[in-house]
Amino acid sequence: MKQKMTVNNFKRLLALGVLSGVLLTSCTDLEIEATDSIFLDANDSTFQGIEDPSSFLDGVYNSLNGFIGDQTNLFALSEVTTDAALIPTRGADWGDNGQWRQLHEQTWPTDHNFILGTWNQWNGLQFQASQVLSDLTEASPELKANASFLRALGTWVILDNYGQVPIREVTGSPIDDPIVLRGAEAVDLIVADLTDAINGLPLAGPGSGNTRPEKAGARYLLAKVLLNKHVYLGTQPDPADMAQVVTLVDAINAEGYDLVGGYFDIFRPDLDNETIWFLQTGVGNRIYNGLHYNSTITSGGGWNGFSTLAEYYDLFEGDPNINVAGSGQEERRGMVPLQGLPVGSVAGANGDDNGDGFIDGSSVGRGFLIGQQYADDGTALSDRVGNPLTFKREFQDAQGNTSLIGNDETTGIRVTKYSPMFDGGFTNHEIYFRYSDAHLMKAEALFRAGDTGSATALVNELRVLREATPIGSVTAQDIIDERGRELYAELWRRNDLIRFGQYTNDWTLKSPSAVGDTSRNLFPIPASQLLLNPNLTQNPGY
């Protein structure tokens, strides 16, 4: 039965996509004992509260390490379904029954593993956060504020990707069908939770660790939700929402968060004024999934999978066919070094395991890797069959056809922001919320409110810092392109393209059937969930 819910009623609900939603399917660090939730007895599932909410929340936050740090599920849905990333099949490598190719082609089936995995993970997050928020759980105001943030985050991820959010009353029977929130009702719940989080989370500022979201993290997420609100409601942007985005970003800036120079230094395992929230998860997935097997001696080499499209690479200033120092590239495009760095020349970097006098992994470039690649000692690298290891713009099979299958080991421009010369690349420091994103959200909000002059000034402030040419007067295309240049491989590309109406655009190796198909803007509700909860409805086009 359909129900009209108020915000007060929302706060007494928990989200649950499947009856076993708390049994998360991805590899995570989550360890929660059965005794953490109190039940009447083995035959009565009536919820009685969380016995140790502090430890319970530690486990919930640890689960996010897998949700965000993985290369599957949310990361794959956010990046591989766009123009920013693709994984061609190279011989037998990365075939995986076509699941990577289906994402980039936008031909995913309703039972795609990553679509189901994302659904289960983030609905499970809502479930756990709502247990802490229950009146039956005795928790401090700060713990409740953390739970409010987590529930808002989980609800938002489901709304953004699937367009509908299943909600179950905390103390209800597990056999009852959860109600489903869509549009304004779902946004109202998220906004209410984030308002509570802003009020209850500490005000610590940059450099304090940032492994849990503080007030700035909740403000950032609320700004993100409001910037996208018109997408969820099917309306035009509300000037009041845009004004609130500006106010939220200004409040983050007032806490001490700001733009910083040295783009790739942001992605080192150090604290800075740019990072609003990072996760204590290894960044190896962001490095090795694109590097060739022979790219580096650290961690046994790369996995030779993830690449990007030439048209995405061409968003950046610089020679389209080379990316080395002096070739005119802007800072964010990075570069391919011609050799490694001497041992001891970079604080906090690796040692020299092979005795060649260079920091292990320091010959691996940052940003976009194209052309000949080099070893630490400056030797030109080869692939496994002895051909020059030159990353190429095109994806071609042996007959020269543009294709996602039949590629050799060197097709595709590779991408990495994190360097393997720091602890082999598995340092627990992956950034999720950054001030540069907030800065660009403010610019976009001002632009959507009609203040092109102020928006242009903000975009150019960032471009000058990143050694790029200022823009005369920004357009909507300039803003989405700037977000692409600043935030690549940070889980925002799909969200951005949808907000700018470009997720249905054509790009290389996208299926012609998906071009212009707005049904791709939402993923399908997994078939198993439709059977379990008749209040869910399959999204159009599936």
Side-chain angles (χ1 to χ4, degrees):
M1 181 175 66
K2 295 182 179 179
Q3 301 179 40
K4 180 69 175 179
M5 303 301 295
T6 66
V7 168
N8 286 335
N9 286 333
F10 284 154
K11 293 182 179 181
R12 300 188 59 82
L13 300 177
L14 60 89
L16 179 61
V18 292
L19 296 179
S20 58
V22 293
L23 302 176
L24 306 179
T25 59
S26 174
C27 178
T28 73
D29 296 322
L30 178 60
E31 294 184 4
I32 297 177
E33 299 295 331
T35 55
D36 287 339
S37 296
I38 305 173
F39 298 96
L40 292 180
D41 57 52
N43 298 314
D44 192 333
S45 61
T46 303
F47 176 71
Q48 295 294 295
I50 302 298
E51 187 174 61
D52 184 355
S54 180
S55 296
F56 186 87
L57 277 175
D58 286 342
V60 177
Y61 273 111
N62 284 340
S63 72
L64 287 174
N65 295 337
F67 296 1
I68 302 300
D70 198 358
Q71 65 188 6
T72 64
N73 296 336
L74 184 61
F75 183 84
L77 299 191
S78 301
E79 297 289 338
V80 183
T81 66
T82 75
D83 58 346
L86 71 165
I87 301 92
T89 300
R90 310 177 192 279
D93 293 348
W94 294 91
D96 297 340
N97 296 315
Q99 62 183 350
W100 296 104
R101 300 193 301 270
Q102 289 166 345
L103 292 184
H104 184 75
E105 292 171 333
Q106 292 195 355
T107 59
W108 49 76
T110 57
D111 61 350
H112 195 287
N113 286 339
F114 302 161
I115 292 173
L116 176 60
T118 303
W119 174 273
N120 284 345
Q121 286 179 337
W122 294 91
N123 275 311
L125 181 72
Q126 299 170 39
F127 178 92
Q128 294 164 323
S130 291
Q131 287 183 306
V132 177
L133 288 170
S134 169
D135 293 340
L136 297 172
T137 297
E138 296 182 6
S140 69
E142 185 173 330
L143 290 176
K144 294 280 190 180
N146 274 274
S148 292
F149 172 85
L150 289 169
R151 185 167 68 179
L153 178 61
T155 304
W156 176 70
V157 168
I158 296 298
L159 177 66
D160 188 65
N161 285 276
Y162 304 91
Q164 48 191 302
V165 187
I167 301 287
R168 182 186 297 280
E169 188 175 353
V170 174
T171 56
S173 169
I175 65 173
D176 290 342
D177 296 327
I179 66 167
V180 174
L181 302 185
R182 300 173 177 85
E185 290 184 328
V187 171
D188 286 348
L189 172 57
I190 297 167
V191 171
D193 274 344
L194 288 173
T195 301
D196 289 345
I198 291 169
N199 291 333
L201 289 173
L203 180 68
S208 59
N210 308 94
T211 56
R212 285 195 179 185
E214 299 151 0
K215 287 188 187 295
R219 287 180 172 129
Y220 168 99
L221 184 55
L222 181 54
K224 183 77 71 175
V225 171
L226 293 173
L227 194 64
N228 288 277
K229 180 179 173 181
H230 67 281
V231 176
Y232 311 136
L233 272 57
T235 61
Q236 294 299 310
D238 185 338
D241 291 332
M242 299 303 100
Q244 191 174 355
V245 170
V246 173
T247 298
L248 288 163
V249 175
D250 286 345
I252 296 170
N253 186 229
E255 293 181 35
Y257 294 94
D258 209 344
L259 301 177
V260 299
Y263 183 67
F264 291 104
D265 286 342
I266 295 169
F267 302 96
R268 292 180 55 173
D270 303 305
L271 301 179
D272 55 44
N273 290 348
E274 162 79 32
T275 303
I276 296 173
W277 183 28
F278 73 89
L279 297 163
Q280 292 182 307
T281 185
V283 296
N285 283 321
R286 303 294 176 260
I287 299 172
Y288 297 105
N289 62 17
L291 296 182
H292 187 269
Y293 314 104
N294 297 338
S295 289
T296 177
I297 62 171
T298 63
S299 300
W303 310 333
N304 208 38
F306 282 57
S307 308
T308 193
L309 295 177
E311 54 251 51
Y312 194 89
Y313 170 73
D314 289 343
L315 292 175
F316 297 78
E317 292 181 22
D319 188 313
N321 297 303
I322 190 171
N323 196 26
V324 298
S327 63
Q329 73 278 20
E330 63 174 274
E331 182 187 22
R332 293 173 297 197
R333 201 175 77 161
M335 72 170 190
V336 176
L338 302 181
Q339 66 176 41
L341 299 171
V343 172
S345 62
V346 179
N350 297 334
D352 177 20
D353 287 347
N354 65 348
D356 62 5
F358 296 95
I359 298 170
D360 292 340
S362 61
S363 63
V364 176
R366 308 288 284 277
F368 293 79
L369 311 184
I370 187 173
Q372 180 65 55
Q373 306 297 299
Y374 298 90
D376 289 345
D377 64 1
T379 302
L381 292 170
S382 300
D383 65 16
R384 292 183 298 181
V385 296
N387 297 316
L389 183 56
T390 54
F391 295 142
K392 301 174 178 63
R393 292 172 60 91
E394 296 82 16
F395 296 88
Q396 294 180 335
D397 61 21
Q399 289 73 44
N401 301 311
T402 299
S403 177
L404 268 170
I405 60 175
N407 281 245
D408 67 22
E409 295 184 2
T410 65
T411 59
I413 301 165
R414 312 307 170 84
V415 182
T416 181
K417 286 184 167 179
Y418 296 90
S419 175
M421 69 176 172
F422 298 106
D423 297 329
F426 285 92
T427 303
N428 292 331
H429 191 102
E430 178 161 349
I431 297 171
Y432 193 24
F433 293 176
R434 282 207 291 133
Y435 184 76
S436 293
D437 187 357
H439 181 87
L440 288 174
M441 285 196 285
K442 177 180 176 180
E444 182 181 337
L446 289 166
F447 178 82
R448 292 184 183 277
D451 190 351
T452 302
S454 296
T456 300
L458 287 172
V459 170
N460 283 335
E461 181 184 356
L462 180 63
R463 288 184 61 78
V464 169
L465 190 65
R466 304 294 187 235
E467 301 175 9
T469 304
I471 296 170
S473 180
V474 298
T475 64
Q477 191 62 51
D478 291 326
I479 294 174
I480 180 65
D481 288 349
E482 195 65 25
R483 290 188 62 81
R485 287 184 283 262
E486 180 70 20
L487 301 167
Y488 59 89
E490 295 185 47
L491 290 93
W492 298 122
R493 186 59 173 172
R494 171 190 168 274
N495 176 268
D496 287 343
L497 288 175
I498 289 174
R499 191 171 63 256
F500 281 84
Q502 298 187 18
Y503 192 60
T504 62
N505 286 5
D506 193 11
W507 52 68
T508 300
L509 292 169
K510 184 175 184 176
S511 172
S513 65
V515 176
D517 183 359
T518 56
S519 73
R520 301 297 99 176
N521 285 339
L522 291 174
F523 295 109
I525 306 300
S528 59
Q529 308 313 303
L530 294 172
L531 293 173
L532 287 168
N533 183 5
N535 290 326
L536 291 165
T537 58
Q538 187 56 276
N539 286 320
Y542 298 104

Short mmCIF file of all heavy atoms in Angstrom, two decimals, residues 56 61 181 197 253 270 281 336 350 355 362 399 511:
data_model
loop_
_atom_site.label_atom_id
_atom_site.label_comp_id
_atom_site.label_asym_id
_atom_site.label_seq_id
_atom_site.Cartn_x
_atom_site.Cartn_y
_atom_site.Cartn_z
N PHE A 56 29.98 -0.37 16.46
CA PHE A 56 29.15 -0.67 15.30
C PHE A 56 29.43 0.32 14.18
O PHE A 56 29.61 -0.07 13.02
CB PHE A 56 27.68 -0.63 15.71
CG PHE A 56 26.73 -1.07 14.64
CD1 PHE A 56 26.39 -2.41 14.49
CD2 PHE A 56 26.12 -0.15 13.80
CE1 PHE A 56 25.50 -2.82 13.50
CE2 PHE A 56 25.23 -0.54 12.82
CZ PHE A 56 24.91 -1.89 12.68
N TYR A 61 31.81 2.38 8.95
CA TYR A 61 32.77 3.20 8.22
C TYR A 61 33.81 2.34 7.52
O TYR A 61 34.22 2.63 6.39
CB TYR A 61 33.45 4.20 9.16
CG TYR A 61 32.69 5.50 9.31
CD1 TYR A 61 32.07 5.83 10.52
CD2 TYR A 61 32.58 6.39 8.26
CE1 TYR A 61 31.37 7.02 10.66
CE2 TYR A 61 31.88 7.58 8.39
CZ TYR A 61 31.27 7.89 9.59
OH TYR A 61 30.57 9.07 9.73
N LEU A 181 10.57 5.33 -1.71
CA LEU A 181 10.60 6.78 -1.87
C LEU A 181 11.19 7.14 -3.23
O LEU A 181 12.16 6.53 -3.67
CB LEU A 181 11.45 7.43 -0.77
CG LEU A 181 11.04 7.16 0.67
CD1 LEU A 181 11.92 7.97 1.61
CD2 LEU A 181 9.57 7.47 0.90
N ALA A 197 23.19 16.08 10.52
CA ALA A 197 24.62 15.80 10.55
C ALA A 197 25.44 17.08 10.69
O ALA A 197 26.40 17.13 11.47
CB ALA A 197 25.02 15.06 9.28
N ASN A 253 34.72 26.75 3.01
CA ASN A 253 35.90 27.58 2.84
C ASN A 253 36.25 28.33 4.12
O ASN A 253 37.43 28.46 4.48
CB ASN A 253 35.66 28.56 1.69
CG ASN A 253 36.88 29.37 1.34
OD1 ASN A 253 36.80 30.60 1.22
ND2 ASN A 253 38.03 28.74 1.14
N ASP A 270 49.39 12.48 2.45
CA ASP A 270 49.65 13.55 3.41
C ASP A 270 48.37 14.35 3.62
O ASP A 270 47.49 14.40 2.75
CB ASP A 270 50.75 14.48 2.89
CG ASP A 270 52.05 13.75 2.59
OD1 ASP A 270 52.55 13.06 3.48
OD2 ASP A 270 52.53 13.87 1.44
N THR A 281 41.64 3.39 2.85
CA THR A 281 41.66 2.21 1.98
C THR A 281 42.80 2.36 1.00
O THR A 281 43.13 3.48 0.58
CB THR A 281 40.33 2.04 1.23
OG1 THR A 281 40.35 0.83 0.48
CG2 THR A 281 40.05 3.20 0.31
N VAL A 336 54.60 11.71 -18.72
CA VAL A 336 55.36 10.46 -18.70
C VAL A 336 56.82 10.81 -18.45
O VAL A 336 57.46 11.46 -19.29
CB VAL A 336 55.22 9.70 -20.03
CG1 VAL A 336 56.08 8.45 -20.03
CG2 VAL A 336 53.76 9.36 -20.30
N ASN A 350 59.29 5.35 -1.62
CA ASN A 350 59.87 4.02 -1.47
C ASN A 350 61.39 4.07 -1.44
O ASN A 350 62.01 5.11 -1.74
CB ASN A 350 59.45 3.12 -2.64
CG ASN A 350 57.97 2.88 -2.70
OD1 ASN A 350 57.29 2.94 -1.70
ND2 ASN A 350 57.48 2.59 -3.90
N GLY A 355 68.29 -1.96 -6.40
CA GLY A 355 69.65 -1.46 -6.36
C GLY A 355 70.08 -0.63 -7.55
O GLY A 355 71.30 -0.50 -7.80
N SER A 362 59.13 5.28 -9.36
CA SER A 362 59.13 6.72 -9.67
C SER A 362 59.17 7.02 -11.16
O SER A 362 59.00 8.18 -11.55
CB SER A 362 60.31 7.41 -8.97
OG SER A 362 61.55 6.88 -9.41
N GLN A 399 42.95 -6.63 -37.06
CA GLN A 399 42.60 -6.18 -38.42
C GLN A 399 42.52 -4.65 -38.54
O GLN A 399 42.19 -4.12 -39.59
CB GLN A 399 41.26 -6.79 -38.85
CG GLN A 399 41.32 -8.29 -39.12
CD GLN A 399 41.45 -9.11 -37.85
OE1 GLN A 399 40.76 -8.84 -36.85
NE2 GLN A 399 42.33 -10.09 -37.86
N SER A 511 27.52 1.68 -27.62
CA SER A 511 26.57 1.04 -28.52
C SER A 511 25.67 2.08 -29.18
O SER A 511 25.13 2.97 -28.50
CB SER A 511 25.70 0.04 -27.75
OG SER A 511 24.65 -0.45 -28.56
#
